[in-house]
Amino acid sequence: DSHVVGALIHKCYLAKLEGRRFEVWGSGNAVRQFIYSVDVGKALLSVLETYDKPDTLIVAPNPPITIRTLALTIARLLDFKGEIYFNDQQLEGQIKRTLDSTPFLSLYPEFKTTAFEEALKTTLAWFIKNAKINQDKL
């Protein structure tokens, strides 16, 4: 019932708390691009200040990563020591879903997205802090 990053963080966190395996739907081979919310804000400010065309600009970080890499990185950063199970009997989704941000980068060549692991660490720190505050709602 959520986007993949939030769903996997929550599932891994609960698996660690409850001492059970961390189940990831699909083989983990699907490829996606994830962008850190702070980077979206920075891109939006740049575009709002300088772009006046009706064309759509896509901001998509490269390189894309697999769901397997995402899940394993979340587990490592949460210090999850249990079993990680990729359930290939569940839906995989589209195997490759990526976008091209070449037009955006040609207009804003100085724009850099936050490194995947750095963004994930910050997101996890926020989640853990807020999960402790809202423990009764988990």
Side-chain angles (χ1 to χ4, degrees), residues 9-29:
I9 288 171
H10 191 227
K11 285 176 82 170
C12 186
Y13 181 81
L14 291 177
K16 182 178 178 179
L17 281 181
E18 297 168 3
R20 57 182 170 81
R21 73 181 180 185
F22 172 29
E23 181 177 340
V24 180
W25 282 15
S27 68
N29 294 327

Side-chain angles (χ1 to χ4, degrees), residues 19-91:
R20 57 182 170 81
R21 73 181 180 185
F22 172 29
E23 181 177 340
V24 180
W25 282 15
S27 68
N29 294 327
V31 175
R32 300 289 184 269
Q33 291 164 298
F34 302 103
I35 189 162
Y36 185 42
S37 61
V38 172
D39 294 338
V40 172
K42 289 177 184 176
L44 184 59
L45 288 174
S46 294
V47 171
L48 286 172
E49 291 173 352
T50 62
Y51 191 72
D52 64 356
K53 295 184 173 86
D55 304 321
T56 300
L57 290 176
I58 294 170
V59 183
N62 284 313
I65 64 164
T66 64
I67 299 300
R68 178 176 297 275
T69 297
L70 174 63
L72 294 174
T73 304
I74 289 169
R76 179 174 49 79
L77 294 175
L78 282 177
D79 197 32
F80 178 77
K81 303 292 187 196
E83 175 190 359
I84 301 170
Y85 173 61
F86 290 89
N87 186 346
D88 60 6
Q89 300 303 304
Q90 294 292 340
L91 297 174

Side-chain angles (χ1 to χ4, degrees), residues 67-123:
I67 299 300
R68 178 176 297 275
T69 297
L70 174 63
L72 294 174
T73 304
I74 289 169
R76 179 174 49 79
L77 294 175
L78 282 177
D79 197 32
F80 178 77
K81 303 292 187 196
E83 175 190 359
I84 301 170
Y85 173 61
F86 290 89
N87 186 346
D88 60 6
Q89 300 303 304
Q90 294 292 340
L91 297 174
E92 183 86 57
Q94 185 177 348
I95 197 67
K96 184 177 181 187
R97 188 179 306 154
T98 58
L99 300 168
D100 180 16
S101 59
T102 302
F104 174 81
L105 292 173
S106 69
L107 292 169
Y108 303 96
E110 72 288 346
F111 185 82
K112 303 289 183 242
T113 57
T114 304
F116 166 71
E117 192 161 320
E118 180 184 337
L120 197 52
K121 282 180 185 176
T122 305
T123 302

